[in-house]
Amino acid sequence: MSILIKNGTVVTSAATTKADVYIEGEKVHTIGTNLSMKADKTIDASGCYLFPGGIDAHTHMDLPFMGTSSSDDFETGTLAGLHGGTTTIIDFAFQKQGDTLQNALNVWHEKADGKAVGDYAFHMVVTDFNEKSRAEIGPMVARHGISSFKTFMAYKGALMVDDKSLVGLFHEVEKYGGIVTTHAENGDLIDTLKAEHIAKGNLTPKFHAITRPPIAESEATGRIADLAFEGKHPLYIVHMTCEDAVNRVRQAMLRNQKIHVETCIQYLLLDDTVYEEPDFGGAKYVMSPPIRKKKDQEVLWAGIDQGLVEVVATDHCPFCMDQKRAGEKDFSKIPNGGPVIEDRMELLFSEGVVKRGMSLQKFVDVTSTAPARIFGMAPKKGTIAVGSDADIVIFDPTKKHKISHKTRHMRVDYNMFEGWEVTGKCRQTILRGTLAIDDGKALVGKGFGKYISRAKYAQPLN
Ligand code: URP
Ligand code: ZN
Ligand code: ZN
């Protein structure tokens, strides 16, 4: 199968060039002007950008969490991703406390293999760092292509690990060329504040945000940065939301420390007035960390501009309203997470590129190239280059549309950006040389996605 894309503008994190792209099999074969190969299919991309397929470095498909499971599985979630220009996800395989990493990996392969429509990789979540799981780190990197290990500093009793485990994991992961990633919130502080508010009868969704204040995030951010610095380990902090945490990273960088920071599109665009939405509407935005203030959004946008925030992901973890209603009488029982995967690329283009003048290079970098580079998928993924996987989004930058859960494909009954007017639309999505989405129509289905085995974080120079 071959595809010739004519008259588009190819955007990579390095350059914007008017060029044709010829795809043969799963790979980009030729990039040039006036290409005239005989292809099975020719697409006219006049007036459109060609972006590298989006990589969402933070998703939770089919995740058992807080007494229920996230409502998108690997089939529906990755298909929604393809509609929204995301061709590859990195999902999280959760170790059960007392169980092995290998079992976690087996369970996640069962959820995804033969089901995912888009490509997928896994981070390994270490919830129980002991001698047995320590010995599993090396094989995870070398045999299974899992080079990133996630830790939680919150959700005590279920996911949270102590500082001793964090230190031990840093050492072990670095030995094998991996990287530790962290959900940075102080779980003990949050649990104390939660208990205090629940005792006072403060039970509505807005108390989710009140009991997870910025200081819980900035303290944990500073602590994990210090622990990484002590052993000179690389670090990736997931879903950063607020000024105080960003400033902790700024301080760490003054001592020449390398920390990668991810934020998510919802933290760039929403503020904490969402928790006032009537009729339990605030529950739609219950996620951790919570949605912050407008001034925090500005800090995150500036952080992207400065190169401090390198990745814009989603933390896609949807729950339908009847699942959210488990916490109707107590905010602490509302399952944490929201649906975002399909909205990320179009929203960042509209709000970032169109409204704030973000460069096309930066847009591509934070949505695709940087996650590919950090998480060992470059240059196979994350760029449009000869020899790379032909994962390409043909994007119409002028098309205006309105977001609604009724027209999106995520398996959930609301959208956090319902009614938002957006400029720019993913017209076609190509995954490994196959036209996957054509003007809203899915041309691939269950099982089309492939597992992506990733390289080490610390690539040797040659
Ligand atoms: O609220 C969230 N973010 N739910 C998913 C789990 C996590 O903390 O990433
Ligand atoms: Zn998290
Ligand atoms: Zn998450």
Side-chain angles (χ1 to χ4, degrees), residues 225 228-229 232-234 248-259:
F229 181 69
K232 306 238 175 311
H233 305 295
R248 289 299 178 106
V249 176
R250 290 204 166 102
Q251 279 163 8
M253 285 183 173
L254 289 176
R255 60 191 178 192
N256 304 322
Q257 187 172 357
K258 183 67 198 167
I259 304 180

Side-chain angles (χ1 to χ4, degrees), residues 67 175 293 314 325 422:
K175 247 199 249 173
K293 303 222 174 282
T314 63
R325 271 193 204 95
V422 174

Side-chain angles (χ1 to χ4, degrees), residues 61-62 73-75 78 89 91 102 104-122 144 445-453:
M61 306 302 174
D62 200 1
D73 59 20
F74 276 83
E75 182 183 354
T78 57
I89 62 166
D91 207 84
Q102 184 61 53
L105 182 59
N106 296 347
V107 169
W108 254 261
H109 270 302
E110 251 167 57
K111 289 172 190 278
D113 297 353
K115 297 194 187 99
V117 189
D119 284 359
Y120 58 98
F122 299 129
H144 301 292
K446 191 171 180 175
F448 185 75
K450 273 193 184 165
Y451 175 67
I452 305 299
S453 176

Side-chain angles (χ1 to χ4, degrees), residues 58 60 92 150 239 315:
H58 191 150
H60 301 285
F92 293 84
K150 165 91 175 281
H239 54 39
D315 197 4

Side-chain angles (χ1 to χ4, degrees), residues 407-419:
T407 48
R408 289 304 206 196
H409 302 81
M410 298 176 281
R411 191 157 65 187
V412 66
D413 51 1
Y414 73 93
N415 188 296
M416 293 194 288
F417 305 96
E418 190 72 32

Side-chain angles (χ1 to χ4, degrees), residues 8 13 37 47 49 53-54 82 86 94 99 119 126 134 149 154 167 181 231 260 316 336 354 392 397 408 413 433 449:
S13 64
M37 288 85 168
Y49 292 126
L82 289 173
T86 289
F94 280 66
D99 203 350
D119 284 359
V126 180
R134 179 193 296 276
F149 296 83
V167 172
T181 80
H260 302 284
H316 177 78
N336 288 198
V354 177
I392 296 175
R408 289 304 206 196
D413 51 1

